[in-house]
């Protein structure tokens, strides 16, 4: 079902005309209401009137996470305090979080955007949706919550953690839609099996996954374990939260809610615009947000965009699954390595579970990568020869795919940490003193 036919199926020409009209408005709005933009435009000799076409956006300097941090907590808000009705913050690993505010209109727009993507995945008002994202400052849970309610589905706000109870509720309530990070969905599937349940005990049919990357291979495993069909959903707190883009049931790219988000792909080093279909960093301008409008926000996420219509009937541009963050990319012995490449290799070995950790160290001035991966089958633990063969096959495959030699360590089943939210699988120890 297409939730908003007018916006999701309009011609490219009409969409671009709408985007241009909204871009002109939001640039002026930012200049008039946010000191950072006012000062930055003046310093660079740019007037809001300079925007005459969509490509004129290139004259606007990008906004970065540092800008958010420098104006912590509310310095980039464009509305008086009385108009702010919700505040979220990102789960920053270091320093202060980045803070996001919403007006009533912002919340309504967020629910609309979410409802579109939820419907695109195939969820209807008949569904019972269990939200296993952590409720709190994180935008995932409340974003999906209001979007599902807007669509008319029944929401079970079970939050993350307390996994045995999650599984009990899933069974007893006949949950049909699971909302979680892929990592947590993987864990719930494993735990259900351990507790003696089979797929037939559940009525799951759709998974709305997101907030972190997940290879197609890993997704297939999760789908198989839980007996559902999952779509990928992308967003970030600064831009709103989830709801920026998501896959439809055909899963050929994530449809961007383009009437609210103007997406560009640029070279992360030079910031030069990339052509359609070329990979680069996603830069997003919010076209309608009132409380925290952002011009050319650098997401650091790497992807590409195509604008051909999708067979589902939607005409909105589609972005690829995020291949990684430019700041997550590991440079090992000068070679660029994405954790997702390693995940794809590991998933092809049926003897291995889907849990792994990557450790990067610097020893004798050389970078070393250790891939720690868990066996799925405990009976292998006592078979030295089989283990050695497996280890060297994984190592050879990694060498072909990555172009570097990695140390492969096989560990016993159930020894690698499980995560209830986003997984933290990369530990870069190169900057720490030995
Ligand atoms: O993760 C918002 C969200 C919640 C999206 C629930 C989807 C579902 P943040 O915590 O601010 O916001 O993290 C944003 O997470 O820049 C990406 O690097 C990563 N990310 C989000 N969705 C995906 C995805 C939420 N589908 C950061 N695939 C982003 C890959 C994703 N990475």
């Amino acid at each position: 079902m297409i939730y908003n036919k007018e916006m999701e199926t309009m011609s490219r020409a009409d969409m671009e005309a709408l985007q241009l009209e909204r871009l002109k408005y939001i640039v002026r709005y930012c200049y008039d209401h946010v000191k950072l933009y006012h000062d930055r435009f003046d310093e660079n000799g740019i007037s809001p009137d300079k925007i005459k076409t969509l490509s004129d956006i290139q004259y606007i300097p990008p906004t970065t996470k540092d800008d958010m941090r420098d104006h912590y907590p509310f310095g980039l808000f464009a509305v008086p305090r009385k108009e702010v009705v919700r505040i979220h913050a990102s789960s920053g690993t270091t320093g202060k979080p980045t803070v996001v505010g919403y007006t009533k209109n912002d919340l309504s727009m967020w629910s609309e955007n979410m409802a579109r993507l939820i419907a695109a995945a195939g969820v209807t008002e008949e569904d019972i949706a269990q939200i296993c994202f952590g409720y709190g400052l994180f935008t995932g849970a409340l974003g999906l919550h209001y979007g599902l309610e807007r669509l008319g589905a029944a929401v079970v706000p079970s939050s993350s953690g307390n996994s045995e109870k999650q599984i009990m509720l899933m069974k007893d309530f006949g949950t049909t839609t699971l909302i979680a990070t892929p990592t947590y969905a993987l864990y719930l599937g494993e735990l259900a099996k351990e507790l003696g349940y089979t797929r037939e005990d559940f009525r799951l049919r759709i998974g709305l996954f997101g907030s972190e990357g997940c290879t197609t291979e890993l997704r297939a495993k999760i789908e198989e374990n839980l007996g559902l069909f999952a779509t990928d959903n992308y967003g970030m707190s600064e831009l709103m939260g989830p709801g920026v883009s998501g896959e439809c049931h055909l899963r050929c790219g994530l449809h961007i809610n383009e009437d609210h988000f103007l997406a560009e792909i640029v070279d992360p080093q030079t910031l030069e615009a990339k052509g359609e279909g070329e990979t680069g960093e996603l830069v997003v301008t919010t076209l309608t947000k009132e409380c925290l409008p952002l011009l050319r926000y650098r997401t650091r996420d790497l992807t590409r965009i195509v604008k051909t219509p999708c067979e589902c009937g939607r005409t909105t541009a589609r972005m690829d699954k995020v291949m990684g963050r430019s700041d997550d990319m590991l440079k090992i012995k000068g070679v660029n390595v994405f954790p997702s490449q390693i995940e794809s290799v590991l998933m092809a070995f049926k003897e291995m579970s889907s849990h792994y950790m990557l450790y990067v160290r610097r020893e004798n001035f050389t970078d070393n990568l250790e891939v720690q991966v868990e066996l799925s089958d405990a009976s292998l633990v006592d078979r030295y020869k089989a283990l050695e063969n497996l280890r060297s096959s994984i190592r050879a495959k990694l060498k072909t795919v990555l172009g570097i030699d990695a140390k492969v360590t096989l560990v016993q089943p159930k020894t690698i940490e499980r995560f209830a939210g986003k997984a933290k699988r990369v530990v870069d120890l190169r900057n720490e003193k030995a």
Side-chain angles (χ1 to χ4, degrees), residues 219-346:
R219 174 159 76 181
K221 278 199 180 183
I222 304 170
E223 289 182 324
E224 169 67 24
N225 287 346
L226 290 169
L228 49 74
F229 171 91
T231 61
D232 187 11
N233 294 275
Y234 171 85
M236 77 192 308
S237 344
E238 294 91 313
L239 296 175
M240 179 173 74
V244 174
S245 67
E247 285 176 320
C248 68
H249 62 286
L250 298 177
R251 299 201 296 201
C252 43
L254 286 77
H255 289 275
I256 302 170
N257 278 315
E258 281 186 287
D259 48 327
H260 296 286
F261 300 98
L262 178 59
E264 300 169 73
I265 299 289
V266 303
D267 180 309
Q269 260 79 49
T270 64
L271 293 186
E272 254 171 57
K274 292 276 194 178
E276 185 171 341
E278 286 180 352
T279 301
E281 179 180 336
L282 177 71
V283 168
V284 180
T285 298
T286 64
L287 294 174
T288 52
K289 269 175 52 173
E290 295 177 338
C291 182
L292 183 71
L294 290 174
L295 301 180
R296 305 197 77 209
Y297 191 68
R298 294 194 58 178
T299 65
R300 308 281 168 183
D301 293 318
L302 300 174
T303 182
R304 58 191 198 110
I305 292 181
V306 292
K307 295 185 177 164
T308 48
C310 178
E311 282 179 24
C312 71
R314 291 176 183 80
T315 49
T316 41
R318 285 166 289 147
M319 59 183 247
D320 258 5
K321 275 176 156 313
V322 171
M323 66 178 288
R325 291 178 58 79
S326 53
D327 43 13
D328 270 1
M329 187 182 72
L330 294 164
K331 241 201 161 80
I332 300 170
K333 295 179 189 155
V335 177
N336 295 344
V337 172
F338 282 102
S340 57
Q341 294 175 294
I342 300 175
E343 182 175 300
S344 285
V345 169
L346 298 178

